[in-house]
Amino acid sequence: MSQNSTAVKTQNRVLPLIAGVLIQMCCGTAYIWGVFQSYLIITNSTPNALFNWSPTYGTLAYALLLSMLAVGSVTGGKSQQSGKVQPKTIIIIGGLVMGIGFLLAQFTTNSTPWLLWLSYGIMGGIGMGMVYTTTIAVCQKWYPDRRGMVTGIIVSALGAGTVIFTQLSEIVIPSIGVLRTFGLLGVVFIVICTLGSFFIKNPPEDFKPAGWNPPASKAGVTSKNFLPAEALKTPQLYLTAVALMFASTAGSMVIPMAKVFGMSNGLAESVAATGVLIIGACNSLGRFAWGLVSDKLGRKNTIIVLLIITAVSIIALSFVPKGLILVMFAVVGFSYGGFLGVFPSLTSDFFGTKYVATIYGIVLAGFGIGAVASAFIVGELSKIKAFSTAFTIAAIAAAIAFVIVISLKAPKEKVQ
């Protein structure tokens, strides 16, 4: 390839990144279920909500969406594996599945909670999973020289989308209602994913940025592109998934309790609510910042540091004065974002970038299991305000992930 050809393609790699950022922002709605639930389900604090449902109905909808992310990721990745289906097609299909799911959610009634589980939960989760790992995989291939940084940018866009869509939903829902807001979001997803898909394409097989040469092989980074079937034969794949499960559980056990814990410890409701937004912003910032750090420090070392910070800040929540409570929650959110920014790069370091959409989809199964388990546990513990129990469970989860990550090594390139 000529130097001029390489330079042109280097400039073009900015377009997939921009498109990936916009698409990932749509996926940020995965984390704003609390906004929808407060308008959907009648409770003592939300007497004017629409439906007289058990709170577990809402928890199930949210849990289904998170658990289906892995299904969508593997589906999208496997579809591309033969080379016959392009990333652009996966993005369009994923955006349609996600968007149609949200469009259907607006027809939910008090007697049809199953429609919300199917539309928002199953369809929304599968569609999000398809576009989530596809955009990460494509952008990693365009930026082999800055894999951690670009992964951090992509997944931090998801966190930014959470903050943006939270604010937009709180503005729109009082005007048109929560159900029609689902429909509006569905249209937004379809439009952005369809337009963005035209820029989501893989670089040529021999692509490398101008002036960059692949570094000599180093510890923790494979030079082989594992097939998903080969990756499934390695213990590292399962250990990575379990490590992500416990690492993310530590954060997802604690962050949803921020508002109610703060109010229980004397913070004004407005202060506690603002703190939730700060946590969301720190979550987004952590995805980018720790991805950047991991390019210098290494993925494994970065995750180890994150787990130590997570465990210490969670334990500190039971002892700090009320003025520092939200600071500790912000630290937890910053670390939680780091896990989601670094684990995709760790996966591609271990198994290569060619099939990372499928392989990281398998790793995301760990995240899905942890998210579902923590959603139900947090729901039950929040009812009785058993905060210390939740913090203890979260700290133990971080400790288990620490032990697993310490033992992780890149898989052998010859799979038996």
Side-chain angles (χ1 to χ4, degrees):
M1 180 184 296
S2 70
Q3 182 67 26
N4 288 339
S5 174
T6 302
V8 171
K9 294 182 187 304
T10 301
Q11 293 174 1
N12 288 345
R13 68 180 180 159
V14 175
L15 297 178
L17 180 58
I18 293 172
V21 164
L22 294 174
I23 292 167
Q24 286 282 332
M25 288 177 69
C26 291
C27 295
T29 52
Y31 292 98
I32 67 170
W33 171 253
V35 175
F36 300 139
Q37 176 154 316
S38 64
Y39 290 95
L40 283 172
I41 301 176
I42 295 172
T43 65
N44 291 334
S45 57
T46 57
N48 297 319
L50 286 179
F51 303 137
N52 188 25
W53 290 348
S54 165
T56 56
Y57 284 15
T59 302
L60 179 58
Y62 177 59
L64 281 170
L65 184 144
L66 292 179
S67 61
M68 288 295 108
L69 282 171
V71 175
S73 297
V74 173
T75 300
K78 289 285 287 183
S79 299
Q80 300 173 64
Q81 193 169 317
S82 66
K84 295 179 180 179
V85 180
Q86 298 301 311
K88 169 185 173 180
T89 304
I90 300 301
I91 296 295
I92 292 174
I93 294 173
L96 284 172
V97 172
M98 179 168 62
I100 292 171
F102 274 64
L103 283 167
L104 290 175
Q106 67 182 313
F107 300 109
T108 303
T109 66
N110 192 70
S111 60
T112 59
W114 58 266
L115 181 57
L116 186 67
W117 303 335
L118 172 64
S119 57
Y120 171 87
I122 296 175
M123 294 182 66
I126 290 174
M128 283 185 186
M130 293 177 73
V131 302
Y132 177 72
T133 52
T134 300
T135 51
I136 291 175
V138 168
C139 290
Q140 283 187 349
K141 292 170 186 174
W142 280 104
Y143 287 84
D145 52 333
R146 299 179 180 179
R147 189 180 297 167
M149 183 198 74
V150 78
T151 303
I153 291 173
I154 287 290
V155 296
S156 68
L158 186 148
T162 299
V163 176
I164 292 169
F165 280 109
T166 294
Q167 295 301 299
L168 288 177
S169 296
E170 290 285 15
I171 293 171
V172 171
I173 290 174
S175 300
I176 66 174
V178 63
L179 293 180
R180 290 182 65 187
T181 300
F182 278 123
L184 178 62
L185 290 175
V187 172
V188 171
F189 298 159
I190 292 171
V191 171
I192 290 180
C193 289
T194 301
L195 294 178
S197 70
F198 290 95
F199 304 98
I200 302 295
K201 57 183 179 181
N202 287 321
E205 287 287 337
D206 57 350
F207 169 79
K208 66 177 182 179
W212 178 80
N213 291 306
S217 60
K218 56 183 180 180
V221 181
T222 183
S223 59
K224 170 184 171 70
N225 284 305
F226 282 72
L227 290 166
E230 293 176 319
L232 284 167
K233 295 178 181 178
T234 67
Q236 285 85 351
L237 180 65
Y238 304 99
L239 289 172
T240 303
V242 173
L244 177 58
M245 178 182 74
F246 283 111
S248 60
T249 295
S252 56
M253 278 285 298
V254 173
I255 293 171
M257 290 187 166
K259 183 176 179 179
V260 64
F261 179 74
M263 292 172 62
S264 297
N265 282 270
L267 295 180
E269 182 176 2
S270 59
V271 174
T274 301
V276 173
L277 290 178
I278 293 172
I279 292 167
C282 288
N283 181 352
S284 178
L285 179 61
R287 294 166 190 246
F288 169 70
W290 289 108
L292 191 62
V293 168
S294 75
D295 280 335
K296 302 294 185 182
L297 190 60
R299 322 301 178 199
K300 178 177 172 177
N301 291 337
T302 302
I303 293 171
I304 289 171
V305 171
L306 284 168
L307 287 166
I308 294 171
I309 294 173
T310 299
V312 170
S313 56
I314 288 172
I315 294 170
L317 277 166
S318 298
F319 304 100
V320 297
K322 71 177 184 179
L324 292 178
I325 287 174
L326 293 182
V327 174
M328 290 298 102
F329 272 113
V331 173
V332 174
F334 188 61
S335 302
Y336 175 80
F339 296 131
L340 298 175
V342 178
F343 267 94
S345 297
L346 178 70
T347 304
S348 57
D349 281 356
F350 276 4
F351 302 103
T353 58
K354 188 170 185 179
Y355 304 108
V356 71
T358 303
I359 296 172
Y360 187 60
I362 298 169
V363 171
L364 273 179
F367 170 79
I369 293 169
V372 171
S374 61
F376 283 99
I377 294 171
V378 166
E380 294 302 315
L381 294 179
S382 293
K383 291 178 184 177
I384 58 175
K385 297 185 178 181
F387 302 116
S388 60
T389 301
F391 297 158
T392 300
I393 294 172
I396 291 172
I400 294 172
F402 179 87
V403 172
I404 294 171
V405 174
I406 283 286
S407 68
L408 267 179
K409 296 179 180 179
K412 295 180 180 179
E413 296 187 9
K414 289 186 178 181
V415 179
Q416 301 299 321

